[in-house]
Amino acid sequence: MAPRSSSALPLAAFLRLFAVRHAWRERLQTGLLLAILALGVGTFLSIRIANRAAVEGFQLFTESLQGPSDRIIETPGGRLPLADLPAIREALGGLSVYLFPVLESSLLPLEEREESPTASASPARVLGLDLVQFRSLAAGNGEESGDAPDWLQDDEAFWDVVENPRHLLLVPSLAEEWGLRVGDEVEVILRGEKQTLTVAGLLPEARGDQALPDNLAVMDLPVLAERLGIAAVDRVELIVAPGPRREALLAEADRRLRGATSRNWRVLSPEDREAEGAAMTAAFRLNLTVLSLIALLTGLYLIAQTLDATVSRRRGEIATLRSLGITAREIQRLWLAEAVFYSAVAGFLGLLAGYGMAWFTVDAVTGTVRALYRETATSSVKLTAGDLLLTFGISLGGGLVAAWLPSRDAAQTPPAQQLRLARRIPPFPVFQHPWVGVLALLLGTALAFLPPFTSAGGAQIPVAGYATAFLYLVGGTLLAVQGLQWAGRLLHRLGRNRPTVALGSSRLRAPTSRHQLALSGFFVAITMAASMTFLIQSFESTITGWLQQRLQGDLFLSSVGFRGNESDQRMRAEILAAIEGRKEVAILDRSRSVSVPLAGRPARLTGLPLRRTTTEKLLLLEGPGEQTAPEGSFPAYANESLARRTNLSPGDTVTIPTPSGPRDLFIRGVHADYSSDNGQLIVDLPPFMEWFRIDAFDTAAVYTVEGTDLRALQEELQAAYPGLVIRRNAELLRDALSLFHQTFAVTKALQAIALLVALVGLSLSLISLLRETGREIALQRTLGMSRHEIARASAVEGLGVALTGLVSGLLMGGALGLVLIHVINRQSFGWTLDTAYSLADAGMLALAVLGLSFLISYLTTLLFLRTWKPATAL
């Protein structure tokens, strides 16, 4: 009969007398464990905060200044003509709502440019607002006079700003970064030209509890419009004042605006705009989140390893508790409670670490979002209640999962056997069934062929692909541990005449659960590092070939500060016409892109001159077919991402909205494109310019007359047009690849963190094993072995674990890399990649991992022996 549980030791008493006391005695080991777990939790949290900040940044600029808008009125793919503003007010009739036109652009201080024409500072985002309206809104909101800057409070100062045709208002952080004070003049690049502006005042640091973006500048709307040479705004934001009729007024405004069918307006709520940004970046953010969990997964093996060690060293305590009437089930609960204790402390430390790391990851993630998707602000770093709950949930839940096997082992071993067991306890039974690992690999392979899940926002999520990756990690772990004995035999054969090698390898031939858990963490980290390296190198090889095919001009032009996609730093048509007229220029090809809604998500529509030589550079994957285009349609080429997301193929027709009305596009072919995963349609430039009233361009390619001195022409054009960046072919390819590497900077950081966790886990494993083999160490010292010889034997032991994890991880990394390239990447982003893997890089990784493992194992043992007392081992 099982003992009654009435005599059970309370959990609080157990934690105080056993868990906390044990953790304090081994505080170095406990500190390392908590630090690694906190790093894993913090990595996940920082990526979560950065992802949220990137999405919030799409709306941050105007919301921080005038509060959240209720509706946003815009024209698809273009700007609203100023002539439409009275029409919007007319459509609304006498409704008591506020309309705020907004013009948005970017500018760059010319003084920040380096000698290289390709280098430039980060651009500021400049908003054109009706400053009179803005001032009235601030007064209407009852802002304290101390919260508003002087130029906004004083009538004379305010009108001095508004009437100054060169005024510029900056947030203090931006003024400090540029080294400017009120009254200073600054030369900036605006719309591809050098212009001189005056810092007329500073904006407040925040409005209410909302901090302003640190790259924000403001000008009066008419002044900015004149500077840009346009008579249009990007959007009109509608605000309904609080009150009992607010919801009714908003509903009526919706009805009237959407009823103005003769107008080509889009009416969006802020939630719609944020949902667009979330859907647009969903795949990118999800992949980062999954990667951020790898370090945490590796850390959970450390919890299992640490608790397994405590079970081994505290067998006497377990036997005593069982003799006092504690049931096996309660023993298991006690060890699970210890895991909760570790996980809770790690969760708290992870919150602090994640909040600190977020300041770095936010910049990296939003920089990538700007490069791949759309211009966005860098939102402030902030913790939410959801962050707290999710962080502790993952930390505590993961700790309980990791503690299950050690706690079950402690509970199921009878008291007498607890006292009879030797110091080195046997491995867990789950690791003795490699057939389970084989089944996991087979199931994962089968899941890889399933289609992606499509979310409500239109994003394709490779759920089955992630399941495949998880099953590969689980199955691979169960198979990898079988290699420990082989590694032990190999090292023994290679060093049979060296006592230290023979001693270290003998421990691997009879591995304990500690070896297996250390290997598991090592295997996961190496697998993910190898697979991500496989993906990145395949991506780089594909991108390089694609760019070499696309970039066939002699010189390439863009405006200083142009960042691609949604950047507003464009070149005026007059400037390009002047360059085209030079005798050295044979052809000048212009290009321009706009964002248009398509199938529930924004897609990019690009105008290019569709000559034969241009279409040959598109790397067609399908088409062109022989189908006849419907009357009234225009030929277009869809990129692979768009074709996969919307099931388009050559011969299909798609309708897009434009400021001049909807247009039907006939898909002639599908081409490879890796500049964005939201989709792209390429149309001929002349009708594109007519639809969108284009007078400025993103980029231009210059084909020169044979015999032209390219460097001399580049220098002449650069001197004549300081607002342009002029690159030769090789320079542009170099800059494009630099942007590519910047895009993967966060991924590489996550790889490094996972490897760091694995190496520290190996060190913790050796410390645990050394504590349990005190009698063996005492005997070795008696037989005359020096500390360095014992350390070399432990280093061989650690090397064997690392070697097994490295070989198995590289093999599984290759398989998982294929899943990332051909399943997860293709379903998430719609890109077909060539496979490329550098054996030299794999060799460098192997040498670094093996060398660090040997060194860390050697130094860990030496440090342990310095504090080890032989008397405690007897």
Side-chain angles (χ1 to χ4, degrees):
M1 178 180 295
R4 296 178 59 85
S5 62
S6 58
S7 60
L9 189 66
L11 284 177
F14 170 81
L15 289 174
R16 185 178 67 255
L17 296 176
F18 294 93
V20 176
R21 183 180 62 180
H22 173 77
W24 177 251
R25 286 178 177 174
E26 299 179 0
R27 47 190 173 272
L28 176 60
Q29 184 175 352
T30 302
L32 281 174
L33 172 66
L34 293 177
I36 289 299
L37 285 175
L39 180 61
V41 173
T43 300
F44 168 79
L45 178 60
S46 68
I47 292 297
R48 173 180 167 84
I49 292 173
N51 284 341
R52 182 176 63 241
V55 174
E56 289 179 348
F58 289 130
Q59 279 297 103
L60 186 60
F61 287 106
T62 50
E63 280 197 2
S64 59
L65 275 169
Q66 60 192 36
S69 302
D70 294 304
R71 291 295 181 267
I72 300 164
I73 308 162
E74 60 184 22
T75 297
R79 287 186 163 121
L80 274 168
L82 290 178
D84 274 13
L85 299 186
I88 294 174
R89 173 48 71 186
E90 182 181 347
L92 291 169
L95 291 182
S96 180
V97 297
Y98 299 98
L99 295 178
F100 293 91
V102 179
L103 180 59
E104 193 168 342
S105 186
S106 57
L107 56 81
L108 189 83
L110 192 59
E111 289 83 355
E112 293 293 330
R113 295 188 63 191
E114 301 173 5
E115 293 182 3
S116 168
T118 61
S120 60
S122 298
R125 203 67 185 164
V126 57
L127 293 182
L129 303 175
D130 185 332
L131 290 182
V132 177
Q133 269 191 315
F134 175 64
R135 189 188 191 201
S136 299
L137 180 67
N141 287 339
E143 293 187 6
E144 297 291 337
S145 60
D147 295 335
D150 293 340
W151 64 267
L152 198 58
Q153 297 181 59
D154 182 75
D155 284 343
E156 184 177 351
F158 174 77
W159 288 109
D160 283 344
V161 169
V162 172
E163 293 172 358
N164 181 352
R166 301 196 306 177
H167 72 261
L168 180 67
L169 304 167
L170 303 176
V171 290
S173 57
L174 188 61
E176 182 178 354
E177 179 187 344
W178 289 358
L180 298 173
R181 294 178 297 179
V182 175
D184 288 349
E185 290 190 344
V186 56
E187 287 188 332
V188 300
I189 300 298
L190 189 63
R191 207 189 183 208
E193 294 180 298
K194 181 173 69 172
Q195 301 191 29
T196 302
L197 300 177
T198 302
V199 181
L202 298 179
L203 297 166
E205 294 280 1
R207 293 291 302 276
D209 59 354
Q210 175 68 67
L212 269 62
D214 56 11
N215 60 336
L216 176 64
V218 170
M219 298 175 72
D220 195 32
L221 193 150
V223 173
L224 180 58
E226 183 178 354
R227 290 276 170 180
L228 294 175
I230 60 176
V233 295
D234 285 282
R235 60 189 177 274
V236 174
E237 303 195 4
L238 181 149
I239 297 178
V240 179
R245 299 188 61 245
R246 171 182 160 78
E247 294 302 323
L249 282 173
L250 189 56
E252 180 62 18
D254 276 340
R255 187 187 67 78
R256 295 188 183 187
L257 288 171
R258 289 177 174 136
T261 55
S262 62
R263 298 290 179 173
N264 194 27
W265 297 332
R266 291 179 74 205
V267 182
L268 303 173
S269 68
E271 292 75 20
D272 293 333
R273 177 63 66 87
E274 187 171 325
E276 271 191 0
M280 184 168 50
T281 60
F284 167 72
R285 293 181 293 109
L286 181 59
N287 279 286
L288 274 187
T289 300
V290 172
L291 277 176
S292 70
L293 290 171
I294 297 302
L296 181 59
L297 176 61
T298 308
L300 295 182
Y301 281 114
L302 301 189
I303 289 187
Q305 179 182 298
T306 299
L307 294 180
D308 183 47
T310 63
V311 171
S312 173
R313 290 197 301 277
R314 292 153 67 185
R315 295 188 311 276
E317 295 176 8
I318 297 173
T320 301
L321 292 173
R322 292 295 303 277
S323 301
L324 292 174
I326 305 299
T327 66
R329 185 173 182 179
E330 288 169 334
I331 289 291
Q332 186 171 12
R333 286 175 52 215
L334 294 176
W335 249 259
L336 289 175
E338 186 165 348
V340 169
F341 166 72
Y342 282 124
S343 300
V345 176
F348 174 74
L349 296 175
L351 281 174
L352 300 179
Y355 185 75
M357 293 166 64
W359 290 97
F360 301 95
T361 53
V362 160
D363 287 338
V365 171
T366 53
T368 302
V369 167
R370 289 191 192 110
L372 287 179
Y373 300 100
R374 180 191 289 172
E375 183 66 33
T376 179
T378 300
S379 180
S380 58
V381 173
K382 54 188 176 184
L383 286 171
T384 65
D387 293 332
L388 300 178
L389 292 174
L390 186 59
T391 300
F392 276 103
I394 287 179
S395 179
L396 296 176
L400 289 173
V401 171
W404 179 256
L405 286 178
S407 64
R408 187 169 177 268
D409 182 62
Q412 291 186 345
T413 307
Q417 189 176 343
Q418 291 276 14
L419 296 174
R420 286 201 309 269
L421 279 176
R423 285 289 186 182
R424 296 168 69 84
I425 62 176
F428 293 123
V430 70
F431 289 120
Q432 308 308 307
H433 302 294
W435 61 269
V436 177
V438 173
L439 288 178
L441 295 181
L442 292 176
L443 178 59
T445 302
L447 291 177
F449 293 94
L450 294 179
F453 167 77
T454 302
S455 69
Q460 293 189 328
I461 302 174
V463 175
Y466 289 128
T468 297
F470 176 75
L471 289 172
Y472 274 15
L473 291 177
V474 172
T477 299
L478 296 178
L479 293 178
V481 296
Q482 311 304 317
L484 279 172
Q485 293 178 325
W486 294 347
R489 295 190 189 102
L490 174 64
L491 291 174
H492 180 74
R493 185 181 298 273
L494 293 176
R496 65 166 62 94
N497 297 323
R498 301 181 67 86
T500 54
V501 177
L503 178 60
S505 60
S506 67
R507 297 169 184 164
L508 294 174
R509 286 182 289 170
T512 68
S513 55
R514 215 70 34 69
H515 291 98
Q516 293 174 330
L517 290 172
L519 171 64
S520 299
F522 221 94
F523 168 79
V524 169
I526 295 295
T527 297
M528 291 307 302
S531 62
M532 287 306 303
T533 300
F534 191 3
L535 172 64
I536 293 171
Q537 289 178 346
S538 298
F539 214 142
E540 182 171 8
S541 174
T542 305
I543 288 288
T544 302
W546 172 68
L547 287 172
Q548 289 172 342
Q549 177 73 15
R550 292 288 296 270
L551 305 179
Q552 295 182 7
D554 298 313
L555 294 176
F556 295 90
L557 315 179
S558 65
S559 176
V560 172
F562 179 75
R563 293 295 188 270
N565 291 335
E566 298 295 316
S567 176
D568 197 63
Q569 284 286 5
R570 299 188 173 97
M571 301 173 289
R572 288 196 302 114
E574 294 86 346
I575 293 177
L576 296 182
I579 295 174
E580 188 176 24
R582 294 179 64 105
K583 65 178 187 302
E584 302 96 336
V585 177
I587 299 174
L588 189 146
D589 281 346
R590 302 156 176 81
S591 72
R592 172 68 184 271
S593 294
V594 297
S595 179
V596 294
L598 189 61
R601 286 174 61 182
R604 190 166 38 152
L605 183 67
T606 299
L608 287 174
L610 290 183
R611 300 187 306 273
R612 182 180 61 83
T613 53
T614 307
T615 55
E616 285 177 353
K617 294 185 292 184
L618 290 181
L619 285 177
L620 290 179
L621 303 174
E622 299 179 52
E626 297 181 357
Q627 299 93 336
T628 303
E631 185 177 353
S633 65
F634 296 84
Y637 293 85
N639 74 344
E640 185 183 14
S641 298
L642 184 65
R644 288 184 180 278
R645 178 165 65 87
T646 59
N647 296 318
L648 283 176
S649 58
D652 292 341
T653 301
V654 62
T655 301
I656 60 158
T658 76
S660 58
R663 302 293 177 179
D664 293 332
L665 304 182
F666 174 72
I667 307 301
R668 295 202 63 219
V670 176
H671 68 98
D673 174 77
Y674 304 95
S675 58
S676 173
D677 66 300
N678 281 316
Q680 180 190 46
L681 285 166
I682 294 178
V683 298
D684 199 19
L685 185 61
F688 175 88
M689 293 175 61
E690 181 183 342
W691 301 340
F692 293 95
R693 308 182 184 98
I694 295 302
D695 61 350
F697 297 89
D698 295 335
T699 60
V702 176
Y703 297 82
T704 58
V705 175
E706 187 175 354
T708 299
D709 185 338
L710 288 181
R711 185 178 294 276
L713 178 61
Q714 180 187 24
E715 292 175 354
E716 286 181 29
L717 291 176
Q718 193 67 73
Y721 303 102
L724 300 185
V725 174
I726 303 171
R727 304 178 181 92
R728 295 192 302 278
N729 192 302
E731 294 172 337
L732 183 58
L733 181 61
R734 180 198 64 200
D735 293 342
L737 291 177
S738 174
L739 180 62
F740 167 83
H741 290 298
Q742 173 190 330
T743 301
F744 280 97
V746 178
T747 301
K748 292 181 178 180
L750 295 175
Q751 285 179 276
I753 288 174
L755 287 173
L756 172 64
V757 170
L759 289 170
V760 174
L762 178 63
S763 177
L764 288 174
S765 174
L766 286 174
I767 291 175
S768 299
L769 290 167
L770 289 167
R771 290 184 185 280
E772 295 167 17
T773 56
R775 293 184 180 181
E776 294 179 20
I777 295 175
L779 178 60
Q780 291 161 8
R781 295 288 285 156
T782 302
L783 293 175
M785 288 187 70
S786 68
R787 290 177 177 171
H788 289 278
E789 288 175 321
I790 296 173
R792 284 198 293 272
S794 284
V796 170
E797 187 177 359
L799 182 64
V801 173
L803 179 63
T804 307
L806 181 67
V807 173
S808 57
L810 288 176
L811 291 174
M812 186 55 65
L816 186 54
L818 292 175
V819 174
L820 290 174
I821 293 169
H822 297 295
V823 179
I824 294 178
N825 160 74
R826 185 175 294 180
Q827 293 182 0
S828 295
F829 303 106
W831 294 331
T832 297
L833 303 180
D834 301 327
T835 52
Y837 193 74
S838 169
L839 294 179
D841 287 348
M844 292 294 293
L845 174 66
L847 289 175
V849 167
L850 293 178
L852 285 172
S853 299
F854 186 90
L855 181 63
I856 288 173
S857 302
Y858 180 81
L859 295 177
T860 296
T861 306
L862 276 184
L863 290 173
F864 172 81
L865 292 175
R866 288 183 183 277
T867 59
W868 175 74
K869 298 179 181 179
T872 63
L874 302 176

